Amino acid sequence: AAMSRKGVKALVDSLARSAKHFNKSEVECLVKLFDTLVARASSDYAGAGFDRTVFRDTLHSAFGMTDDVVLDRVFSTFDRDNDGCITVVEWVEGLGVLLRGTLEEKMKLCFTIYDLNGDGYISREEMFQMLKNSLLIQPADEEPDEGIKDLVEIALKKMASTYLLCVSFLLQDHDHDGKLSFTDFEKAVRDENLLLEAFGPCLPDIK
C-alpha cells in the first residue's frame, strides 16, 4: 500500500540519518525511485521491496554493470537479511556504500563480493571464478580455463606485469595456502588503489 505523506517524510528523515553518504533531498529521490522499482517487481513481496531481477536490471541500466556473477554478489551484499527482497532501507544504505563509500567501506564491499562462499578468504577457486568472468579476450586456439589458471598463479605469486594489473593481485599469500585474507587484501589496496577491483569490476565507475 502507498505510504502516507507523513510516513514518507518520517522514512526519509530516518534514512537521511542512517545513510550518511546522502542528504535528505537525495534520499527522497532514492525513495521515489525505489517505489518505481517496486511497481515493476513481483507481487510476492506485497510492496515491501523488489527482487533480484529488478535489482540486476537497474544496476545494468544505471551503471553499465553486466557481469552476472558480480551483480548477484552485489545483490547479496544489499540483501542483508537474505530474504531475496531489497527493502527501502537496504536500497538506500546499500547505494550509499556502492556510490559514495569510503575506501574502507569499498574494500569491505569488494572483498565480500569476491569471497563467494563467505568464509572470510578469497581462495584460489574464487579468484578463478571471478577472473573467468572478467577475461574478455581469449585466443581461439586456447582453452579459456587455462588462461584463467595462469592469471590466478600470477596473482598468488606476485608476478603480475603491467598489462595484467587490472586482473591480477599483488598480495602476499603468507601461508602459501592459496587463500587471501581481508588483511592482505586491505594492505594491497592501500598500497595500490587500482587493486580494489582486481578480480572483476564490482563498483560503478566515476562517470
Side-chain angles (χ1 to χ4, degrees):
M3 192 179 295
S4 69
R5 182 173 296 182
K6 187 175 181 180
V8 171
K9 183 180 184 305
L11 174 63
V12 169
D13 288 344
S14 173
L15 286 171
R17 289 190 296 271
S18 64
K20 57 187 177 181
H21 298 298
F22 296 123
N23 62 37
K24 187 180 288 189
S25 64
E26 289 170 331
V27 168
E28 192 169 3
C29 288
L30 290 174
V31 170
K32 288 178 180 176
L33 175 57
F34 175 83
D35 288 339
T36 300
L37 297 174
V38 168
R40 295 183 201 163
S42 163
S43 60
D44 293 348
Y45 304 115
F50 53 85
D51 58 18
R52 186 182 303 268
T53 301
V54 173
F55 181 86
R56 287 170 54 167
D57 289 348
T58 302
L59 265 61
H60 173 67
S61 60
F63 307 128
M65 298 173 72
T66 58
D67 188 315
D68 287 342
V69 173
V70 168
L71 287 169
D72 278 341
R73 296 295 300 150
V74 175
F75 178 88
S76 296
T77 66
F78 273 60
D79 182 21
R80 293 178 302 198
D81 58 4
N82 198 33
D83 66 351
C85 170
I86 301 297
T87 65
V88 68
V89 174
E90 291 171 338
W91 171 244
V92 174
E93 293 184 355
L95 282 177
V97 174
L98 190 70
L99 299 179
R100 296 184 182 169
T102 63
L103 179 59
E104 180 72 23
E105 289 172 327
K106 288 183 176 179
M107 283 191 292
K108 288 178 180 176
L109 175 67
C110 291
F111 186 86
T112 300
I113 288 169
Y114 298 144
D115 178 15
L116 300 177
N117 67 0
D119 69 349
Y121 294 91
I122 303 172
S123 68
R124 184 185 300 263
E125 292 74 21
E126 287 165 337
M127 292 180 208
F128 178 88
Q129 288 302 319
M130 298 304 299
L131 288 169
K132 186 173 185 177
N133 290 308
S134 299
L135 193 64
L136 301 178
I137 301 174
Q138 195 65 249
D141 59 348
E142 183 177 337
E143 283 293 322
D145 285 2
E146 289 305 312
I148 299 302
K149 286 175 184 174
D150 289 344
L151 289 178
V152 171
E153 289 306 314
I154 289 170
L156 289 172
K157 294 177 181 178
K158 298 176 60 179
M159 294 170 58
S161 59
T162 302
Y163 72 93
L164 284 174
L165 181 61
C166 293
V167 289
S168 59
F169 218 47
L170 306 178
L171 286 176
Q172 295 89 355
D173 178 19
H174 297 299
D175 299 326
H176 305 290
D177 60 358
K179 296 195 294 187
L180 302 171
S181 69
F182 177 73
T183 300
D184 290 331
F185 182 84
E186 180 181 29
K187 181 180 185 304
V189 173
R190 289 195 185 280
D191 289 344
E192 175 49 77
N193 288 177
L194 286 175
L195 294 175
L196 179 62
E197 297 181 85
F199 298 120
C202 50
L203 298 169
D205 61 25
I206 298 299
K207 178 181 174 183

